[in-house]
Amino acid sequence: MKNSIQIFLLTIFFAISVLAQSVQVQKATEGNDVQSYAIDARPFLEETEKEVTEYLKKNPNYFEEQKLQKTTAWNFTVGTTKEWHARDSGENQWYKVASTCRAVGINCYIFVEDAIWGTHANQVAVDGIKNAFDSSTPANGSKGIFQIDTETFGSPPDIDADAKIVILILDIQDGYTGSGGYIAGYFHSVNEVPGDNSNMAEMYYLDANPSDLLTESGLNNVMGTTAHEFQHMIHFNYHNGSPDKPSQSTFMDEACSEVASVVCGYGIRRQTLFNSDYNQYLEEWRDGDDVLKDYTRASRYMTYMYDQFGTDFLGKFVQSTSTSISAVNDALSKLSTSTALRFNESIENWFMANVLNDKTINPTWGYTTPGIGTINPLDHSNPNFSSSTIKVANLGADYISFSRGKNLTINFNDFGSGILKFKALKYKADNSIDIEDISAGTEHTFSDFGTTYNKITFAVLNTNASFKRNYKYTSTGDVSGGLELAYDIGKPSGVLPLANNDTVSVVFDGVPGGTLDSIRIALRQAGSIHGGIYEFTGSSRPTPLGKALVPNLTVTSNIAVRPPWDDVAKSYPVPFPNWITVDLTSNNIDVSKPFVAAFVVEGSYVAPNYAQRIMISEQPDDAENRHSYSYFTPSGDGERDWYFITASAGNIYAYLIRAYVNLGATDVEKQSDVIPSEFSLQQNYPNPFNPTTDIQYAIPSESYVSIVVFDVLGKEVATIVNERQSAGSYKADFNASNLPSGIYLYRINAGNFSETKKMMLIK
């Protein structure tokens, strides 16, 4: 009883309805969930790299002249001391690093910053890096990174008359303070041309803090960085910005460095960031945390090209005098094993490999490199849906799935562009897949959906390199017998560090004629949580919780082992083993209107006695996904209130709570077999909205129905419904894309019934 009272009190503390706000919250740290991550060094280097480009424009024959003026090699020996110029990205300035040569290999000199010797680097680490660079990698026990990278991509530059590469291990000054992002390593072209801060040497930098050279796993990560940075050096030799060697696009250069780690056997970058961020321009390169997603996309793309065409493609791509897409076509045209494929065909195949990753269906629709999963399509548990306009990025793709219902009919509208391609991937119970091309502007019916095929995923592909393209879709189907309401991707990413007596909730759409069958919750461990099922008030503030439908609800897990976080895979077990289902059929709850499942946070999430928590997933932020709300006090100057929580730019956290609804009829839009007992007009949902919202209403007998929208001055701005309708429950869609932000009124007139409600448009 205590817990239900706590939730109920939240519903009466406030009197003023305001727009829901978002706050950003980091996931809770648990076990070995690493809170430090490598970030992009490029923004800190670009300014000085521009100086290099300008120098080469003014001195186009510099490299040829340098060859004629070669001096003697460095001939460093172990124990040699030297100060090297390095870049402090935190302070945006150069400084000198006092260092000592700790190893001389066949292909390298390894210097270590004196200040970190014995604390962040030792001889074991240095010898390990020398061995990896010179002699042995996971990919080939008799070939080092130097040999594999040069055989794969080409030759490094040589302006210092010494074939050996200088590797400087140091604590890279990047503003790192114990958590968050840090620079794991970098190659800087400023060292290739004369200048006050140039070392005039082929060299790159490896971080030792927080990069951990004193553990096996940390050293392995540094080896991958070594392969990555050495590729940048090689790439510069062929694309240095001089007139005859134009600079490569950032995306393609980084993609080659990412695949260098793969070719050397150090594995592909973690792919979970790409799996929900696939609708992006292929070569987009962003700032901030989003750049980590760009790295993931880059590694995935070039690894695909490597898996399909081998190192032959990688070498010809880097050494091409063209750049970007032109370089892809140039390399494909020169492969030792001839292929008719060019960029446009290969990018389409890549889109399909990302959703299928199965070479048995088509050899071009999969990977051979391990550790690459499939993307997470937007999944519709209800086959009756009408989307708003969706943009597909140039050289991007979108994916949508239907996983419940029967007899699916769908119509795609590409607004006459003729550019987008649509494919239907039809999954059988034995996981075999049938694929068919479909066209826009035509109604496609899959009568075997729900029988032969239990899921259909639609791939929407844009192979145009210059323009985004729009599409929308409308789908219908039979959902009789049950409906899953889910607004999460189903893959737990952690828990939020909410405090005792905070509240978490998920708002579910109403299903006319439906009754609540059950709810299903992903819990972190053994133990219980307490909460209830409530009517939705129509807004997340002052509270989403209305009348209690099930006021005392306890959900308990008896799982024996706490599902572990895998630090290597960066994921929890799939499928997650701790989903708990609560049967609510005996409560006979009518869910024709939107409703809420809410639970109180009890105890602290602190080791070793973690209190129970509901798992979260991280996914793109859009109107369809934004259903999870939390009542808590955010850090800083935030006030205790209801918020939806952002994970990073463009992403939100969703609580893994799902609802299951029993239906008595087959059409969600109009339940003609369920005759309402009275006229009614429901609050629009979502509210506030942008730019579309749904208005549900009911008429107990055949009537002429009019629903009109007015602005606050009483001016009519839209007519939504204006026709005679038979008895039933209905949903009308309102699109306000042509209206400014503000408060609007909508009024229904049906028979002798008239009612007006308020809604808010926020753009």
Side-chain angles (χ1 to χ4, degrees):
M1 178 63 72
K2 174 183 176 182
N3 294 291
S4 63
I5 292 174
Q6 287 173 331
I7 294 180
F8 174 72
L9 288 176
L10 301 181
T11 70
I12 62 175
F13 282 163
F14 307 98
I16 301 175
S17 179
V18 294
L19 175 65
Q21 296 180 5
S22 69
V23 292
Q24 187 164 354
V25 174
Q26 297 294 326
K27 288 184 291 187
T29 303
E30 59 177 12
N32 55 349
D33 188 357
V34 178
Q35 296 301 303
S36 298
Y37 51 90
I39 60 174
D40 187 16
R42 189 172 294 271
F44 309 111
L45 308 177
E46 282 181 343
E47 181 179 345
T48 47
E49 285 182 340
K50 289 178 182 177
E51 296 173 6
V52 175
T53 302
E54 290 301 314
Y55 179 88
L56 294 175
K57 285 181 179 178
K58 295 177 182 178
N59 301 274
N61 299 319
Y62 164 72
F63 289 106
E64 292 300 321
E65 294 170 355
Q66 187 69 15
K67 290 178 182 179
L68 300 177
Q69 300 175 9
K70 284 202 171 188
T71 57
T72 58
W74 289 109
N75 293 321
F76 293 125
T77 59
V78 174
T80 301
T81 60
K82 182 172 176 57
E83 284 190 334
W84 298 98
H85 293 280
R87 186 75 173 167
D88 183 337
S89 61
E91 298 295 331
N92 197 28
Q93 63 186 13
W94 290 94
Y95 69 105
K96 290 186 176 180
V97 178
S99 66
T100 300
C101 182
R102 301 291 178 176
V104 177
I106 302 170
N107 301 299
C108 63
Y109 302 109
I110 300 181
F111 281 77
V112 181
E113 182 180 5
D114 293 337
I116 67 169
W117 185 250
T119 56
H120 295 289
N122 57 22
Q123 196 62 46
V124 173
V126 169
D127 291 343
I129 293 173
K130 183 186 73 170
N131 180 64
F133 195 75
D134 279 346
S135 307
S136 179
T137 59
N140 191 321
S142 59
K143 288 185 179 182
I145 291 169
F146 181 91
Q147 185 175 356
I148 291 176
D149 270 13
T150 54
E151 288 178 351
T152 300
F153 301 103
S155 302
D158 183 13
I159 53 95
D160 61 3
D162 197 322
K164 290 183 173 66
I165 307 301
V166 177
I167 301 173
L168 177 59
I169 300 171
L170 73 165
D171 181 358
I172 293 177
Q173 298 304 296
D174 48 20
Y176 179 78
T177 58
S179 64
Y182 68 94
I183 295 173
Y186 62 93
F187 160 76
H188 203 329
S189 60
V190 73
N191 291 318
E192 296 292 321
V193 298
D196 293 339
N197 298 303
S198 173
N199 292 303
M200 289 299 291
E202 274 71 48
M203 68 178 299
Y204 58 87
Y205 307 77
L206 292 178
D207 183 60
N209 180 33
S211 296
D212 190 353
L213 277 63
L214 304 183
T215 67
E216 183 178 350
S217 62
L219 193 57
N220 187 74
N221 289 336
V222 171
M223 307 301 191
T225 303
T226 300
H228 180 112
E229 299 305 331
F230 187 46
Q231 191 287 143
H232 279 314
M233 183 185 293
I234 294 171
H235 215 113
F236 175 80
N237 194 35
Y238 297 94
H239 297 277
N240 55 39
S242 61
D244 60 336
K245 294 182 177 181
S247 298
Q248 183 60 270
S249 69
T250 297
F251 175 88
M252 290 297 186
D253 188 4
E254 293 294 348
C256 288
S257 280
E258 287 290 309
V259 81
S261 298
V262 175
V263 176
C264 289
Y266 295 108
I268 190 170
R269 181 181 290 265
R270 178 167 59 108
Q271 289 295 299
T272 54
L273 291 177
F274 175 84
N275 291 342
S276 298
D277 192 56
Y278 39 75
N279 190 3
Q280 298 291 340
Y281 169 48
L282 177 72
E283 290 200 271
E284 184 172 11
W285 204 257
R286 296 168 285 189
D287 295 326
D289 289 344
D290 280 341
V291 77
L292 300 179
K293 301 174 185 175
D294 298 336
Y295 269 110
T296 307
R297 184 173 64 256
S299 66
R300 194 181 188 101
Y301 172 72
M302 199 57 74
T303 297
Y304 172 79
M305 298 301 286
Y306 165 57
D307 284 350
Q308 289 291 320
F309 305 108
T311 56
D312 187 27
F313 169 82
L314 299 178
K316 288 183 169 59
F317 175 81
V318 170
Q319 297 171 42
S320 172
T321 55
S322 300
T323 62
S324 189
I325 294 173
S326 296
V328 173
N329 285 327
D330 186 32
L332 289 172
S333 69
K334 296 176 180 177
L335 293 180
S336 301
T337 302
S338 178
T339 178
L341 292 176
R342 295 296 181 264
F343 176 81
N344 279 358
E345 295 84 8
S346 67
I347 195 72
E348 183 177 331
N349 290 334
W350 182 62
F351 293 150
M352 295 300 290
N354 289 333
V355 69
L356 289 170
N357 194 10
D358 191 340
K359 284 190 166 187
T360 64
I361 300 174
N362 184 318
T364 66
W365 289 351
Y367 296 81
T368 55
T369 295
I372 301 178
T374 56
I375 56 88
N376 302 317
L378 174 62
D379 187 41
H380 293 295
S381 55
N382 184 348
N384 296 280
F385 188 81
S386 181
S387 78
S388 56
T389 300
I390 303 168
K391 289 184 181 295
V392 184
N394 40 325
L395 300 182
D398 201 20
Y399 307 91
I400 56 175
S401 286
F402 293 85
S403 57
R404 290 181 69 90
K406 295 180 179 180
N407 194 30
L408 175 69
T409 296
I410 193 166
N411 192 336
F412 287 96
N413 178 5
D414 67 350
F415 301 95
S417 74
I419 299 296
L420 296 177
K421 295 184 179 181
F422 301 86
K423 293 181 180 290
L425 288 62
K426 303 183 292 184
Y427 293 78
K428 297 180 181 179
D430 61 1
N431 293 323
S432 61
I433 305 173
D434 292 333
I435 299 173
E436 78 178 82
D437 294 320
I438 62 175
S439 55
T442 302
E443 195 171 81
H444 297 272
T445 297
F446 301 89
S447 58
D448 41 16
F449 174 61
T451 52
T452 304
Y453 303 104
N454 55 20
K455 183 176 79 168
I456 299 181
T457 296
F458 295 95
V460 186
L461 316 178
N462 183 8
T463 59
N464 186 284
S466 302
F467 300 105
K468 297 179 180 179
R469 295 296 178 184
N470 294 335
Y471 81 100
K472 62 190 302 185
Y473 59 95
T474 302
S475 60
T476 59
D478 178 3
V479 292
S480 61
L483 174 68
E484 179 188 54
L485 303 180
Y487 311 111
D488 60 80
I489 63 174
K491 295 183 179 180
S493 63
V495 301
L496 293 176
L498 300 178
N500 190 45
N501 289 332
D502 291 343
T503 303
V504 304
S505 69
V506 171
V507 178
F508 295 96
D509 296 335
V511 181
T515 58
L516 188 59
D517 176 89
S518 57
I519 60 169
R520 193 167 180 246
I521 303 174
L523 295 179
R524 182 66 187 93
Q525 61 214 12
S528 299
I529 56 171
H530 303 87
I533 307 297
Y534 299 83
E535 292 181 348
F536 180 49
T537 60
S539 176
S540 60
R541 290 188 175 183
T543 175
L545 308 181
K547 176 184 176 183
L549 302 173
V550 182
N552 298 294
L553 183 60
T554 299
V555 181
T556 301
S557 168
N558 296 315
I559 191 168
V561 178
R562 195 167 184 255
W565 168 264
D566 185 337
D567 189 44
V568 176
K570 300 294 182 184
S571 66
Y572 291 90
V574 179
F576 189 70
N578 205 17
W579 282 92
I580 309 301
T581 301
V582 181
D583 188 346
L584 296 171
T585 53
S586 62
N587 296 83
N588 197 30
I589 300 169
D590 181 0
V591 290
S592 295
K593 299 179 181 179
F595 61 99
V596 187
F599 295 89
V600 172
V601 173
E602 299 176 67
S604 299
Y605 199 72
V606 178
N609 299 315
Y610 293 106
Q612 184 64 280
R613 290 292 189 272
I614 296 175
M615 302 298 290
I616 53 170
S617 63
E618 182 177 347
Q619 56 203 61
D621 179 13
D622 59 44
E624 185 174 349
N625 286 341
R626 194 181 294 169
H627 287 254
S628 292
Y629 296 91
S630 308
Y631 181 79
F632 73 114
T633 305
S635 60
D637 298 327
E639 298 180 353
R640 190 166 179 80
D641 211 328
W642 288 92
Y643 301 88
F644 67 90
I645 299 179
T646 59
S648 58
N651 287 280
I652 58 172
Y653 288 127
Y655 293 112
L656 270 61
I657 305 176
R658 298 180 172 185
Y660 297 84
V661 176
N662 290 321
L663 297 169
T666 61
D667 188 348
V668 168
E669 299 297 317
K670 175 180 179 294
Q671 301 291 339
S672 58
D673 294 337
V674 182
I675 306 300
S677 60
E678 60 183 13
F679 288 100
S680 67
L681 176 66
Q682 297 183 24
Q683 183 65 50
N684 67 298
Y685 182 80
N687 186 42
F689 66 100
N690 176 28
T692 60
T693 189
D694 296 333
I695 297 173
Q696 297 187 20
Y697 59 98
I699 54 176
S701 58
E702 183 177 343
S703 306
Y704 192 88
V705 180
S706 169
I707 299 180
V708 180
V709 179
F710 303 87
D711 63 20
V712 291
L713 299 178
K715 179 183 177 181
E716 182 177 327
V717 296
T719 298
I720 302 175
V721 179
N722 188 30
E723 63 183 10
R724 179 169 292 279
Q725 295 179 330
S726 58
S729 296
Y730 292 83
K731 181 178 74 173
D733 299 326
F734 176 48
N735 189 323
S737 57
N738 62 330
L739 297 175
S741 298
I743 296 175
Y744 292 88
L745 306 174
Y746 60 99
R747 183 174 66 207
I748 185 173
N749 287 300
N752 295 322
F753 173 74
S754 180
E755 187 173 354
T756 301
K757 289 186 180 293
K758 183 190 301 182
M759 59 184 170
M760 181 181 294
L761 171 63
I762 301 291
K763 291 187 174 180

